[in-house]
Amino acid sequence: MSALHALTVPKWGMSMEEGEITEWHVSVGDKLAVGDELVDIETSKIVNAAECQVAGTLVRIVGEVGQTLKVGMLMGVVATSDITEAQIDDFVARFVPDASGSSLAQTSDAKAPATTAAQAQPVARASSGATAAPVSAGVVSQGPDDSEVNASAVARRIAKAHNINLNNVPATGRNGRVSKRDVEKAGGIQVVSAPSRLSRAKSTSESQRSTEDDSHIASTPVARRLARSLNINLNDVTATGKRGRVSKEDVEKAAVAETGVAYYREQKLSGMRKTIAARLTESKQTIPHYRVSVDVEIDSLLQQRAYMNGTLGHKISVNDFVIKACGGALEQVPEVNVQYAGDCIRQFDQVDISMAVAVKGGLITPVIRDVGAKGLPQIAAVSSDLARRALSGALGVDEFQGGTFSISNLGMFGVDQFDAIINLPQAAILAVAAGVKKPVVRGDNIVSATVMRVSLSVDHRAVDGAVAAQFLQSLKGLLENPASMLI
């Protein structure tokens, strides 16, 4: 008995809802073994490789590079024995996603005859969120291999989703290509794409961009290249060129209408950047932030660090001292080691500190667990290892989730002061600036000291101002007397 297996988007971590396919490591026709790495998927923070959990042959790739799929959605199909294209089409059409993402491989007997496009109710959708009417029963789905048919990417996706053989579709697109409209006409369907939204630089209103195939639009080669570089769909451009063609000037006018300037570049948001944007927007909109700051003299800390690194052979950073001091301050003022949870406040007995690390395309916050139970050398070793693996994308999901307090340090960039946005669902984050030489008053004398400003952003729903001030007072005392952290 033949069997087909669905390769689906796995669920890595409780908060994962979707992932973007960034690279396939295998091709259709490859023999697969259990444990083979199939495809790289970028989630909100990291890129992981999905592994094969069934031996067989990859017979269909459904999820395309650059496409974002929900957990449990179909990425590809593996067969354990000989199978027909019609059976694969039927399997794809009948597939129902498993939102739990409990298994990478789902099995289905492939003994049922292939259904026609009219009989099957496809669940595949264009990546833009398109919806469509059922395929007409008059469409012939059978025919020779259509992989070599000249067709646009959108047209090919729609044809595959609706079991339409491109050999049966008359081509009217540019350079003899089968266009989206050709497939719709042949199949008696209408695919309505969800338009993207783009904010205008010189207007508070928003405009809708077309997502339809523009290969049939008459334009000059220069205009088409410029439109492609500016991510402008030629369906949205008013043509004023000779013989009704879109000209370079027409594309420039469309660009000015969108952004206020004629030339710009657009870069697609990564999964990480989308998550950062969403979480920080939610944090600023839903949390009543307030901030308190204090200057800390760190000359004694720098002397202690020099001794521990030079004489004792450790590799401890100023940030490691800050982490240790925050752990001590949170133990002294536990009312800051909390989370607001709607109808209650969660109080944590253990201090787990999230440390912001800048990585390519964004930032990630690996967590140093149980800081209070660790000495400075141990904190230094753990923080160094986490930062190194964060930069290489080798962190596990459980290593950057679940902190109770965050630290963001920009001191290495010479920043005098900054305010950080709270890392949901935590209630506070400490922003650490650079240590700089300043004149300070001691008694009746003015002396030079290395001063570092720290600013605490706090959720006022969970922590009152007096409590935040007590925390900073405790933190200042520990940082200015670093020997107390060695006990």
Side-chain angles (χ1 to χ4, degrees):
M1 180 184 297
S2 300
L4 292 172
H5 304 261
L7 303 176
T8 61
V9 177
K11 188 175 181 65
W12 295 314
M14 294 298 295
S15 62
M16 178 179 172
E17 296 181 354
E18 63 183 19
E20 179 182 342
I21 295 176
T22 59
E23 181 181 1
W24 277 94
H25 299 298
V26 293
S27 302
V28 171
D30 287 354
K31 300 293 185 182
L32 304 178
V34 175
D36 285 351
E37 291 190 353
L38 300 173
V39 58
D40 286 345
I41 301 175
E42 181 178 353
T43 62
S44 61
K45 292 290 185 180
I46 57 176
V47 176
N48 272 343
E51 296 181 351
C52 188
Q53 296 188 9
V54 60
T57 302
L58 183 65
V59 294
R60 179 72 57 85
I61 288 179
V62 178
E64 300 177 0
V65 171
Q67 189 174 6
T68 299
L69 301 176
K70 297 290 186 181
V71 167
M73 289 187 68
L74 186 66
M75 297 189 298
V77 182
V78 172
T80 55
S81 61
D82 290 339
I83 210 76
T84 67
E85 286 294 319
Q87 288 172 312
I88 299 171
D89 291 340
D90 183 65
F91 178 80
V92 171
R94 293 175 178 271
F95 178 79
V96 177
D98 176 12
S100 69
S102 58
S103 175
L104 180 61
Q106 299 179 11
T107 305
S108 174
D109 290 336
K111 58 185 179 180
T115 59
T116 66
Q119 294 170 325
Q121 180 63 35
V123 300
R125 294 286 186 261
S127 60
S128 60
T131 57
V135 178
S136 167
V139 175
V140 179
S141 61
Q142 302 299 319
D145 177 38
D146 62 359
S147 61
E148 299 300 322
V149 173
N150 186 12
S152 70
V154 174
R156 191 170 295 279
R157 284 200 301 270
I158 295 173
K160 181 183 294 184
H162 295 279
N163 198 24
I164 298 174
N165 190 300
L166 292 173
N167 287 297
N168 302 320
V169 180
T172 64
R174 181 179 175 83
N175 297 326
R177 286 203 304 176
V178 174
S179 69
K180 171 178 177 284
R181 293 181 180 179
D182 295 335
V183 175
E184 289 177 326
K185 183 177 180 180
I189 60 177
Q190 182 178 8
V191 178
V192 182
S193 300
S196 58
R197 308 289 286 178
L198 179 69
S199 299
R200 291 184 177 180
K202 293 189 176 181
S203 173
T204 56
S205 63
E206 292 181 323
S207 61
Q208 293 185 348
R209 280 185 180 178
S210 174
T211 56
E212 294 184 3
D213 177 35
D214 62 358
S215 61
H216 64 285
I217 301 295
S219 65
T220 66
V222 173
R224 186 168 295 278
R225 285 197 300 270
L226 180 60
R228 187 180 301 114
S229 68
L230 299 181
N231 195 26
I232 290 178
N233 192 301
L234 292 177
N235 286 297
D236 298 330
V237 181
T238 301
T240 64
K242 294 181 179 179
R243 297 188 297 276
R245 292 197 303 174
V246 173
S247 67
K248 173 176 175 286
E249 290 74 19
D250 297 332
V251 176
E252 290 174 343
K253 289 178 182 178
V256 171
E258 290 247 355
T259 67
V261 293
Y263 293 99
Y264 57 90
R265 292 190 305 274
E266 290 193 349
Q267 183 177 359
K268 182 181 178 181
L269 290 179
S270 66
M272 175 182 291
R273 181 53 59 187
K274 288 178 182 177
T275 299
I276 291 172
R279 287 177 60 84
L280 293 186
T281 299
E282 181 183 1
S283 179
K284 286 290 289 183
Q285 290 179 343
T286 62
I287 294 179
H289 286 62
Y290 73 93
R291 297 164 185 85
V292 288
S293 302
V294 68
D295 287 338
V296 180
E297 296 180 27
I298 61 170
D299 292 289
S300 295
L301 184 152
L302 295 176
Q303 292 174 5
Q304 183 69 50
R305 174 176 178 257
Y307 170 75
M308 296 183 72
N309 289 350
T311 304
L312 303 181
H314 297 302
K315 294 182 179 179
I316 301 173
S317 68
V318 171
N319 199 58
D320 296 327
F321 276 92
V322 174
I323 293 170
K324 179 62 178 176
C326 283
L330 289 169
E331 289 180 341
Q332 294 175 15
V333 189
E335 295 86 353
V336 179
N337 196 39
V338 298
Q339 289 179 5
Y340 177 80
D343 58 351
C344 68
I345 293 177
R346 298 187 182 122
Q347 176 78 59
F348 299 98
D349 297 326
Q350 179 172 297
V351 176
D352 297 333
I353 292 184
S354 302
M355 172 185 65
V357 176
V359 297
K360 183 178 180 180
L363 62 87
I364 194 168
T365 53
V367 181
I368 303 172
R369 308 285 178 182
D370 200 7
V371 171
K374 292 179 171 64
L376 273 166
Q378 190 176 4
I379 288 175
V382 173
S383 65
S384 176
D385 174 65
L386 288 172
R388 176 182 56 79
R389 291 192 291 113
L391 292 172
S392 64
L395 289 177
V397 175
D398 60 333
E399 292 181 300
F400 59 81
Q401 292 182 349
T404 63
F405 182 89
S406 288
I407 296 174
S408 179
N409 191 338
L410 296 181
M412 67 288 294
F413 299 107
V415 174
D416 290 334
Q417 178 188 353
F418 72 101
D419 296 324
I421 299 175
I422 295 171
N423 181 17
L424 283 169
Q426 298 170 12
I429 182 171
L430 186 75
V432 182
V436 295
K437 286 288 187 180
K438 291 183 179 181
V440 298
V441 177
R442 290 182 184 165
D444 294 331
N445 300 317
I446 297 177
V447 299
S448 175
T450 305
V451 178
M452 179 178 72
R453 173 157 291 191
V454 294
S455 300
L456 186 70
S457 299
V458 191
D459 184 346
H460 214 325
R461 299 172 302 178
V463 182
D464 291 328
V467 175
Q470 291 171 14
F471 170 83
L472 283 186
Q473 185 179 44
S474 176
L475 179 67
K476 178 180 173 71
L478 290 167
L479 290 174
E480 292 185 342
N481 298 279
S484 62
M485 290 187 277
L486 305 178
I487 300 175

